[in-house]
Structures are given as C-alpha cells and as structure tokens.
Amino acid sequence: MTARPFSLQAVKNQINMRRGIGVAVILALFCSAAFSQTRNVEGTVQDAADSTGLPGVNVVVQGTSRGTSTDLNGHYSLDLNEGDNTLVFTFIGYETQTVTVGNRTTINIALAQEVKALQEVVVVGYGEQKKSDITGSTANVDGKILAEQPVLTATQAMQGKLAGVQIISSGQPGSSPQVRIRGVSTALAGTSPLYVVDGVLTDDISNINTADIVDVNVLKDASASAIYGSRGANGVIIITTKKGKAGDMHISYNNSIGIQQATNLVKMANAAEYDNYVQAASGSPPPASDYNTDWYGVILRNAWQQNHNISLSGGTDKSTYLLNTSYLDDQGIVIDNDFKRWTIRLNTEYNIRKNLKFGVLSSFGNSINENGFNNLDIDAYGNIGSVYNDAYRASPIVPSIIDGKYGNTSAYQNVGNPLLDIKDNKIRVNDNRLQGSSYLKFEPVTWLSLKSSFGVDWDYSSNRGYYYKFLADDQTFLNAGGNQQRTRSNLAVSQTQWMHWVWDNTATITRQFGKNNLVFLVGTTAEKYTNQYLYGTRDDVPADPNLWYIGVGDANTSKNNGTGDAWARNSYLARLNYNFDEKYLLTANFRADGSSLLPSQNRWREYPSLGLAWILTNESFMQAQHLFDMLKLRASYGKVGNDKIPTGSYSQVVTLNQAYAFNGSSSAATNGAKIEQIVDPNITWETTVETDGAVEFGLLRNRLTGEVDYYNKKVQNALINVPIQRTVGDIDGLVLTNVASIQNRGLEANLNWRNTINDNWSYHVGANATLNKNKVVALNGGQAIYGGSIGAAQGFTTYTDNGLPVGSFYVLQVIGVFNSDEEVSDYKASDGTVIQPSAKPGDFKYQDTNGDGKIDDSDRIFAGSYQPKAYFGLNGGVNYKAWDLSLSLYGNEGNEVYNGKKAVRIDARDNVESDVVYNRWTSQNHTQTEPRANSGNLPASTYFVESGSFVRINNVTVGYTLPKDKLEKVGIQSLRIFATSQNLLTLKKFSGFTPELPGTPLDSGIELSAYPTTRTIAMGVNITL
Amino acid sequence: MKGVIRSAFTLIATATLLVMASCEKNFLDVPLQGGENTRADPALAQKLVTGVYNSLLQGDSWGNGDVHGFAFISVTNIMSDDADKGSTATDQAVPVGDLDDFTISPTNKFCETLWSGHYNSIGDANQALAQLADAAIDTTERTKLIAEVRFLRGYLYFNLVRMFGGVPLVLRVPVDATDANTDPAFFTRASVDEVYASIINDLQFAMDHLDLKSKSEVGHANKGAAESMLAKVYMYRENWQKVFDLTQDVINSGQYRLLDNYEDIWRQAYQNSDESIFEIETGTFNNGNLGVNNYTVCQGPRVGGKGGWDDLGWGFDDPTTTLVNAYEPGDKRKAATIIFIDNSGTHAGTTLWDGFRVPSADSVQNLRYNYKAYTSKTDEDFQDPSDKDRPKNIRILRYADVLLMNAEAGIHTGQGAPDAMVNMVRERAGLMDKTGVTINDVWQERHVELAMEHDRFWDIVRQGRAASVMHAAGKTNFVAGRNELLPIPESQILLSGGKLEQNPGY
C-alpha cells in the first residue's frame, strides 16, 4: 500500500517553489527550501487496534507541504517553523487525525482504521477510487475470503459472494468456471468477462494462485466498465495481487489437505432391476448373468486434494517484496485423472525517489493435467460415446474387468466399456504461463501522477494424446465381438503458444479548488497478441511411453495442422471524477478503441459513459437525523462493447485444402482452394448500452450496509446469421452480421450486517440476490438459432427466437401417458386424424401444437430457460475468542435444465435409473409422468426438462487460532488450524448429477456428460513466522 | 504565472509520452494470420479451378450441399425404375422414401441440398472465373482453365435444369449480400431455354478451347468431354443433327474405345480408361481418403436378420425386379450391375469379384445391391481401406453413351450407322447383333447399358414416357406434368418473398 506523500491541501502552497523545466528538474520538486527552524516534535504512531507501530504514516504541517513519514517502528521526528501549530496524520486505510501541537514536543498518536465498507479504496481500471466516490456499479470481495475455500480457481471461490455475478462451475480439475455478469448478453459472440490481473488483460485466470490475490473488484455496469471500452460488455473482473509491506520479513505457510467425493450420484438399476425392466421393454429377459456392476462405482473414486502455499514478504521504506509459491494436486474423482499445478509469484516495488516508484509484479505457473475428464470425450477414432454416457448406458449384467480382460459391453449392447474408455488412452495437457507487469510511476508535482506500465502474458501448452491399439477379440475382452476396438494405435501431439503484451501510459491530475475535487485521467494503451498452433498425428506408434514421439509412427499416416493469429490494438482513454463537497459526484469515462481486427474503414469505436451520485448524508439537512450514517443515490449510463467475435469474420478468406484427385487413386490429389463465403465487410463488435440506478446506505453506525441496483442492459447489434439465397453459392447460406438485439433487465441487492458485541464475540452476515430477465428483443431478419443438439432421436433442444430468453428449451409437450388403446384411438385432431396411431398403452401422449394431426418438430413448445430468474448468496461468520466459523450458501431459482443423459438411452438393453424401474407406467400403475418400459430413443420433450433450482452450502470452515503468548516463545507469530468443507450439502429438485451446467449461450443447462458435484472435506494450517 | 508555465510544460511532457506510446503509424495494420485472402497468393486462380472440381465431391446431403452424393443417387437412380430406396423400411423414409414414392414435399431436404450443392459449385466456378479474368498467368493457360471451369459450370446447370427446370441463372459473383438481395438474377427463375442457352454457350466455349484427351491431363475436362456433354445437351434439346455431328466427331477423334469387359469399367484399375470420357475423380489427400461423401457407403450391402458380419454400408439404392427383367437372357451386364444376395436357402452366400463373400439373405437386409458402387477392401488400393466409405470414381460420361447417342441421332437424321453403334455395345455384353435398330431399341440398350449410372430417370423424362414407364414399374404416384421435376426448395421461395416460383403441382 502506498501512502500519499502529501495531502491535497498542500498542493496549492507549492506553486511558488522554484524549479526548472524538464524531467531532471521536476525530480527536484520536493527538495526543501531553506527555512528557519525553531523547534522539534517527535513521537510514535500506533495502530489503535493492536498498539503496534505504524510505518509510513504521513505527518504534515497543516497548510504546508512540509512533513515526514514514520519509520519502521512508527516513530517520527519533525522540525516545526514558527506558526506551525497543527499536524495532520494520514495513512491509507486509517482515519486521518489532526492534532494541535501547543507546547508539546512529544506527540504519540493512535490511528483508528477507517470504517471499511465506506472508505475502502477500490481499483477501478487505470486507477483507484474511494468506494464512496464511485458512481457506477461495482462489487468487491476480499482475497482472504477466496483463499479460504479448497477450490481450484479464484473464480469458483467468488461464487455467491457478489450480487449480479453468476458463476457456473463444473468443479472438474483444470476447467475454468463460466461467469455471467448481469445475464447472457450475446448469442453468437463470446461471453467471458475481461479479467485484469495487475493491469494485464486476459480471458482466463486459472493460472492464478488464489492465495496471491488481495482483492477482486468487479465492474458490473457499463458506466464502470466503459473505461475498458470494447471489452466491457461482459463485465470486468479486476484482480490485485498481494504486495510486500515495509517492516520485518514475514514468512507464512498455509496448506489444506482433503478428500473429495462425488455427491448426488444418480442411482442406476442393479442387475435385478435391470432384468425386470429389459424384460418389460423388449419382451424377453436379458441373458443370465452373475454380475451386478455399478459402473459409476467403477469409474469414480474418492480423491485426494492438497494445496500448499509458502509466502515470504517484507521490505523497507525503499523497497518491498513478496514471494509466493504454491503447489496444488487435485486428483479428480474420475479414475486416472491427476491435475497438478505449481505457481510462483514475485512482486517487488521500489521507491527510487520520493516521487518515483518502480514495481515488478510477476507470476509463473505450470499445470499438468493427466487424463482430464474433459479429454475423455475426445476420441480420434470415434470410439463409442463418451465415458459418462457409456457409464449411464452400460448394463449392470456385464462385468467391468476380470483378470485383465474387459467385459464386452459393446458386443452385448453396442456401448463402450466405460472402464476401457478411460484406460484405452493417455492424455496429458501441460501448460506453462508467465504473466506479469512492471511499472514506473512518477509524480513531478503532487497533483500530477504519470504512470507507464508494461504487462506481458505468455503461454505455452503442449498436449499429447496416446490411443492404444486393441481389438475386439478375446485378448482384450472376456468374449470377442462388438466394435469397441482400435485397429491401429495413434499418437496426437499439439503445441500452442501465445503472447500478449499491453503497454499503458496514463497521466492523472488530482486537484482541489475550494469544495471542488477533481481527478482527471488521460491515457493511451497499445497491445499486441500473437498465437501459434501446431498439431501432428501418426498411427502405429508403439505402446511404450518412451516411444511416444511422432517420428516413431508410420509416416504414411501422418497428418498435421497449424494455425496462427495476431492482432494489435490501440486505445485512448479519459476519465473525469468530479465531486462538489463530497456531496455531488460525477464520473465521465471515454475510451476509443482501434483494432486490427476491424476493417480499416471502421476501425475505431468509441465508448462513453456518465455516472452521477448524490451523497445525501453529507448534506447539512441530513445532519440532524441519526438513522442513516450513509445514504447515496446514483445513476449511470454507458456504452460498452463485446469484441469476442471471430477473428477475420469481416474478411473474405480463401478456404484451403479443397483438393481433387485428377489421377484418381493413381497419385495423390492436387491441392485446391475455394472462396465460399459471402461476408459482411462491416461486421463489428457488439455494442451494449446500459443504464443503472442504485441506492447505497449505511445504518446503525454502519453496522448495516447495503446497496440495491436496477439495471437495464441492451445489446444493440448482436451477431446473428442472416439467411441468404443459396443461389449465391455461400456454403452455409448464412451471412454473419450485427442486427439482433438482446436485453437483460434486473435488480440486485446486497446487504451486510457486521457487529462486534464485545472483545470475545463478533459476527457478520452478508446476503446478496439478483433478479434477471433476459430476452431476445428482435432478431431483425436473423435466423432463429437451434442449439443444444444431443444426438440420438432428440436433435436440437434449444431455440433462440424473438421475445424469448437466449437458448430456451424447445421441445414437445408431454400431456400424459396413454392408459389404453381406446385412449390412443380417441386422441384425434380436429379433422379426425388419429394423432399418434402407432402409440401403445404406456407411451407418452404429446401435444399436437399446430393441430395438423401428427407429432413432429413443428409441435415443439418453449419449455423454459437455463437462465435463472434469481440467484443468491448468503455468507456469514462468527468469531468467538480464538474460534472462528464461517458459512456460505449459494443457490438459484427459476431455471430449467435438460436431463440430456437420460436421453442418450437408445436401446432396450441400455441401463435405466433405478427410480424409472419402479415408477414406470404399468397396467397397474397408471402414472402420467413416466412411460412404460421402453427402448429409449424418446423425442425431445418436457419429460427431460426439469427444475434447475438449487441451494448449496458452498463452504463451512471452522478455525482455531492458537494463543499468541505461547507461540511467541517458539518464534511463531500466529498459528491457526482449520477444517473446511466445500459443497457440503446441495438441495435440488433435479434428478441428475448437478444443475450447474456451463455451456455456450445456445446450449447451456444440458446435462450430457456432466461432471458430478464434488464434495471436499479438508484440514489445514495457517502459520506465520 | 510561473505556476501556469510550469503546468503547461508538465502537460506537454505528459502529452509527448502519451503520443509516443501510440505513434507507430501502421501499428494497427496487422494482416489476418493463416487466413489466405484473395490478394495473398499468385497461384490462387489455379487453385480455385481445382476447388471447382473439388466441389463436385459434395455429398453433405442432410447439410450444406450435395452434387454427387446420396441425394444425387436418390433423384437419379432411386427415383427411376432402376432402383428402390432399399435399406430398412423406416431408414431415411422422409427424404429418400418420399422421392422413391413421389410423395415429395417442397421441404424435402435432399431437394434442398441438391439445389444448394449445385449452386455452391456454380458459385465456386464463378469465383474462379472472376479470379482468372485478371490473374497474372499465361494467356493460353488462362484460356484453358476458363474453358475447364465453363465445362463444369455447363455440366452443373445441365443437372440443375434436368432436376428443377428453369432455375436462377447465376453467372457472376455477387459484390455483397445487398447485391445478392437486389439483383433478380439471384432469386427469379430463368426459362428452360435461357438456361440451356447458357449451358450450350459454356460447353461450346470449353469444346473450342480444350485439347483432345491424349493431349490433356488425366481427370481434367478435355475437348472430348465437352463435345460429348454438349451432344448430350443437344439430345435433351432434340437437336439431332448437332447430336450426330458432335458424337461423330468424338468417334472419329480416335481417342476412345469400348473396354473388352463390361464389368471392368467399375474396377479401380480401369479408372480413366480408354472408354472414360468424364469421371468424378477420387483418391487420396492428406493421408486420407478423398471421395464423394457417402457415395459408396450408402449403397453398400447392409447387415440384417441374423447379422453376424461386418457389413459394407447402409443398403440403399437397390436394383428393382423391373431392372432385373430388363436384361435379355445372356446379358453379361446384369451380373456386372447387380449384386444378387443368395436367397436360395443353401447359405452359399454371394462371392464378389475380389473373393469377398456376402452372407446369404438371412443375414443381409436386402436382396439386391448396386455392383457398380462396390469397392474392394482387399484388391483395390486405398489410403484408408478400413473406412467403409472408400472413394470411387463416378463414371459420368463414357464411350458407350456416345455410341448410343450417335445411333439415336443417326436414326432421327437418317445418317451414320446406327446398327453398328448399337451392336458394338451389344457384342461386348455377349448379345447377338440387331439389325434395323429402332429408337425403342436404342432406348432399351441405353437402359441396360447405363443402368444404375444416374442416367435413367432423366432419360425417360427426355423420351417423354416417364409417366408410362413409372406406372408400368408400379410407381403409380408419379403424376405427369409434375413429377418430371423436383420441387423448388420451400425455404428459398420464402427467402425470396415469393419471387422464386414453385414448379407446377407442388
């Protein structure tokens, strides 16, 4: 934390000081002029809370620029001139004290910490602002709270902590959670928010060790995010990492070691239940078998997770440092998976001169994901299905493996053996990422700060997939047959490297004229990104891992590919913060973005915003009341963009490798090319316009604080495909263009109650909730989009059309089950046509929506959306003496999910859920919600749409801090031990694994190969030396 | 005052720093990486020509376009009296079953993909022609490439006009989407005569500027191909003198002869043989198979009944009894055209020319399959033999067709030697000579000689006897005046705001 050298008041008095021109002279700005010295005052500044010395506190003679700052022990000494009678003690994060000197020569001061919620300084993009001065909508979470949870990414730890921020996490090792800030605001462009890590712009923070983070601030509305212009539309998440503090060296060690398990598994039919159902479905019993395989039990396990973090920090008033290194090992609950990541961070800052500061903030991370669950779906040879679909379908009467030979599910029912699905390949993803920034900050005069910052983000990842050869014979299987086999082994390797640099230059002017306070920022940024990808594969590479190199394979089977990307960007930005007497606040932002990704004729885009606020409690008429300690009204308007459109989508690109074998099979083909797309040359970034109105308040001596926001966010030119006559020869008959419009409106509320009862007891409770309504306002001639294809008989399951939420489920309506042949023949259209003539008693009765006497895709109806009507979080904590307890809940309400895995059942021999066996329609049980025993292949219908509402205890942590006096004897400053549990309990209506189902805007909320929610129970220590 | 000056200097210094950070002039001119644009490659024009040939391989029948895939097979063979849909009763009942039964809806997916596939190819041809117009290449080379592309465009429109009648005549690249939505050429139908005039124009140019087969590269369009194609076009226009002159010229060119064995024509060893005039070429690219998507797999014998073998395909396009009965006794072509599945009860199965044994009927879905689409996993050469969809050259025009065209034109015009032409074809088939051949004799010979070769349906329409032939074959849904043509895709009519007109009866 940087102390401000001098107060604003001091600025005016410096004007007469004599200085030259140019940088060298400006450096001399603070050289003291000669004044007569009359007396000296000294003393110690302490923290009021713990009576420790505070280093770096500014001590200034009121009305002058003269002053000093405290040393490492909080001690200061200052010469006073005649007439100097008042000292001002300032330190960021503490309340400023003004003291009359009188005749004293020793003045000891205890500074109290500022009431945090109101005076906290937040990072707002290219600068910081006092929370109370902000006119846009932001949300903040302390890094300490994030680090407490045994989860893989900081993003996941933010879930439920921030109003307006929906985080959907699968929890699988190596995955990045999906973040939706204030709803889904695009159909075809990217949805990820912009992350800014110490000034470096990125789309992914899975490389960041959560324990490195000091603070996360989310810019939610367009007025706050407009400073990031074309990247602001999905929201901006600003991450600040820890820095060293002047003082003694601190060494701390934190760890947690725990075990994870899958929760809420779906209970599949056992062998007896399976026999019963198959007999009913197919008329004949399955072959006799002694086996009763629980396939989920075969492929899942309880897995270890451990996390270690060592931190070393300290510094002097000239330089500070922080070294953080971490190691994480998460095995994952699917067998053979192992995710390891280590990170190292070194953040150093140097005060070269009083007004010149230099800093380097850097991190390196390496992660290796072996056989990650994600990768199991990838099968170069199109082996049957994915492991999860297979585990759902595989019959319990087939054994998994006996004496090294697999049960042949494929021969029995054309489903891959799930265990072999995992064992028949070895996939490794190795990622290295270097991310960091350095800056130089110079203050030639107190009211001007110049900062130049250069950030770099570099990533190199190499992936290797090896696919074993095995045949459907009795060497591999207990019995030969079926088509789960790979006749040739295969090795595929790929390497991706990307580099992104950002150079920011800003000038910030901070001035005060009477009651007018003004901060003006101008700046430029330049960025460049390059990316290279290389891929190669060959067959017949031997199974020995030492031979897993492309050159070992059969050259006649080699295939390769390579791609690249590059873009540059240049931006100009400006921000004015103005307040009058801390009552009336105004923030105006402006950013102009120019990018090589847009065609030169419309390369530049401008993003303005304006925010206004009124702090009523600073008005004199509010001084008489004692209800509100703080009351603020704010309103804002802004325009931001979404630049996540496909690279080069406006430019006419040649489709390569369109070969023709002129000589037939006699020789290899001649390469060719095509121009087969009509493109819109004016395609551009999506533009979002957002208005926000809010009230912020503090009550009861700020024990209760809160804010309520209303927002209306509209994407004006969302990307959509417009159909074009096929005669023009466009390969897909569609032209991507910016014509659709999508809206999100909502209400956010955030309440916090914090109270210290006495020295022993304190507690806090925070609650937040968001209501959001999403709809496609108009496609404007764009083609409504089918999405959520899940194969089998189902086809697509979602539809994005005018007036409905993006990606709504679009399926047949089940209106019951036929109980008799009479009911089948009585179900007629108005013209007398029997609508489902081939139905049998026990089959679903579907609604003939269009009344044409038959059931087909044109009878589909909208059946809800994956987007929740509301989502909420509840976070609380209690401290009692040395004990601490914290609890956090998260949930959402009013959304639907699609039980896609149930729909992958396509054969009478496929297994079913145990509940289905018992609840199905029979001649005795005339249920209207579950059909008779069937062989799957059911069409997409409301049968598969279920409520996605859930509430979950995200985290419970109990900690105990050992008594300080005893520890100090052994040289330990503090020691805390804790036990924590992540995802302890989930209450949900959904019958599948998890209602948290990330995806693109068009196919979210579909459970197909979902990673089950995992529960983690862990213990750990926090030690500071 | 001094303070003001100082402030000014400071601001100037700041401004300088800010400008420096962004002053590099062409910083934002970063070319698109890895996406070749039309300016980047001097050899682009040649590559685009190859791309037009490549577009003939389109077989995305349920998706973006079909030229010679399953949809093409459906509207040429399956729709005719040569073949039935095949496979299981329900498999592809909607697009293919409807075509076979003439219960075709204007939303039929295969009709739509044939439309889009042909226009994709025509678009590729127009793009290639546009690039060739100002490509920096040798004039002779340029003319030859233009001629090849115009041959292909003519052929594509010839298929379109035979499928749909008069269609939008698109002979240029639209500037942008607005242009495509404004110029009526893109969404109104030209007359059949206008389309044929354009086809003749393209093929005549190709014929005038291409070399004979012996002087041309294998697989490329050549003079003989253009001349034969043009003859066929004139045959559909009933300009018999032109047909006769052009075919006679092809015959006199000495470039072609009938192969000795009829069955050899469809062996890989005889691709681009002396009999071949124009073929869709398939082979190997990027260490993988390169062919028409699904062409062979959709026609391969399909497992059924008791199963127990790894089958060859999906079992569509099954020769009918009508076709079986069309052959005279002793005609070698029957066994070369049809794979007969053993239904004798002896379980001997059917042994194909390479020794592969197809099991008997109780393990196979259908009783007959198209032998002309068979590929041998063992005796022919493929990059990826285990792929059931092994590439196979499609024989589009071959010498026998030219001989029979010459005979038909000769009868009409009283020229040449029709008997000799027909008998050359018959002798190879192991049949006795005929004398005094009639038009009907030529038609019969065309039927059996070119069976399952995507000619039959259009041929009987041309002959003006489609309804009677169809009704005789039991396809009683065929309505004269409607089913000679396919419906224009409904989606395209809607998109044109009704300006694109539907064919009668749909």
Side-chain angles (χ1 to χ4, degrees), chain A residues 659-783:
Chain A
Y660 193 67
F662 284 107
N663 254 328
S665 58
S666 313
S667 56
T670 307
N671 203 352
K674 284 181 192 164
I675 299 172
E676 53 182 8
Q677 281 284 0
I678 301 285
V679 296
D680 175 359
N682 293 316
I683 212 155
T684 187
W685 301 321
E686 295 183 349
T687 308
T688 299
V689 168
E690 184 173 5
T691 49
D692 183 287
V695 54
E696 293 177 25
F697 53 87
L699 294 166
L700 305 168
R701 288 197 285 142
N702 280 327
R703 273 179 294 201
L704 177 66
T705 57
E707 62 190 289
V708 179
D709 273 68
Y710 167 80
Y711 61 86
N712 185 347
K713 175 170 152 181
K714 194 167 167 187
V715 188
Q716 293 174 320
N717 57 349
L719 287 180
I720 198 86
N721 281 307
V722 176
I724 189 168
Q725 283 288 339
R726 285 291 190 166
T727 52
V728 305
D730 184 277
I731 187 69
D732 55 7
L734 297 169
V735 178
L736 189 68
T737 189
N738 298 90
V739 291
S741 125
I742 297 168
Q743 186 182 48
N744 285 284
R745 279 182 299 175
L747 206 57
E748 288 168 5
N750 187 9
L751 282 176
N752 287 292
W753 174 264
R754 184 178 291 276
N755 195 12
T756 304
I757 297 171
N758 56 38
D759 288 351
N760 289 338
W761 279 100
S762 70
Y763 66 95
H764 67 93
V765 186
N768 66 75
T770 309
L771 306 174
N772 187 68
K773 200 166 166 47
N774 170 274
K775 73 169 181 184
V776 177
V777 179
L779 291 174
N780 291 321
Q783 176 165 290

Side-chain angles (χ1 to χ4, degrees), chain A residues 15 19 448 505 507 556 558-559 572 596 603 654 656 659-665 669 673-674 725-727 731, chain B residues 6 10 14 18 21-22 28-29 36 47 51 54 64 180 186 218-219 268 271 281-282 284 286-287 383 492 496:
Chain A
I15 290 172
R19 272 159 297 161
L448 177 67
N505 291 287
N556 275 324
S558 48
K559 289 186 185 174
Y572 296 90
S596 66
R603 177 156 279 170
V654 177
L656 301 167
Y660 193 67
F662 284 107
N663 254 328
S665 58
K674 284 181 192 164
Q725 283 288 339
R726 285 291 190 166
T727 52
I731 187 69
Chain B
R6 213 170 34 248
T10 313
T14 307
L18 295 175
S22 62
L28 292 182
D29 292 331
E36 190 177 324
K47 283 190 188 169
N54 167 282
N64 281 329
F186 291 103
V218 179
Q268 194 183 62
Q271 58 188 7
E281 305 285 336
T282 65
T284 297
N286 191 22
N287 283 328
Q383 182 63 29
Q492 301 304 298
S496 74

Side-chain angles (χ1 to χ4, degrees), chain A residues 82 281 550:
Chain A
E82 228 173 293
I550 286 294

Side-chain angles (χ1 to χ4, degrees), chain B residues 328 333 418-424 426-427 431-445 448:
Chain B
E328 296 167 50
R333 293 174 293 193
D419 287 4
M421 297 298 154
V422 171
N423 287 333
M424 279 166 75
R426 286 178 64 82
E427 278 162 22
L431 299 175
M432 302 296 286
D433 283 359
K434 277 186 179 177
T435 51
V437 292
T438 63
I439 293 289
N440 274 326
D441 289 337
V442 179
W443 288 355
Q444 157 65 18
E445 214 54 55
V448 290

Side-chain angles (χ1 to χ4, degrees), chain A residues 12-52:
Chain A
K12 292 177 189 169
N13 301 311
Q14 294 166 359
I15 290 172
N16 294 325
M17 292 173 73
R18 185 176 295 272
R19 272 159 297 161
I21 298 164
V23 173
V25 185
I26 292 169
L27 278 173
L29 177 63
F30 298 105
C31 295
S32 334
F35 288 98
S36 61
Q37 295 170 6
T38 57
R39 62 196 162 123
N40 176 281
V41 62
E42 62 164 357
T44 306
V45 182
Q46 289 185 329
D47 187 331
D50 60 7
S51 303
T52 56

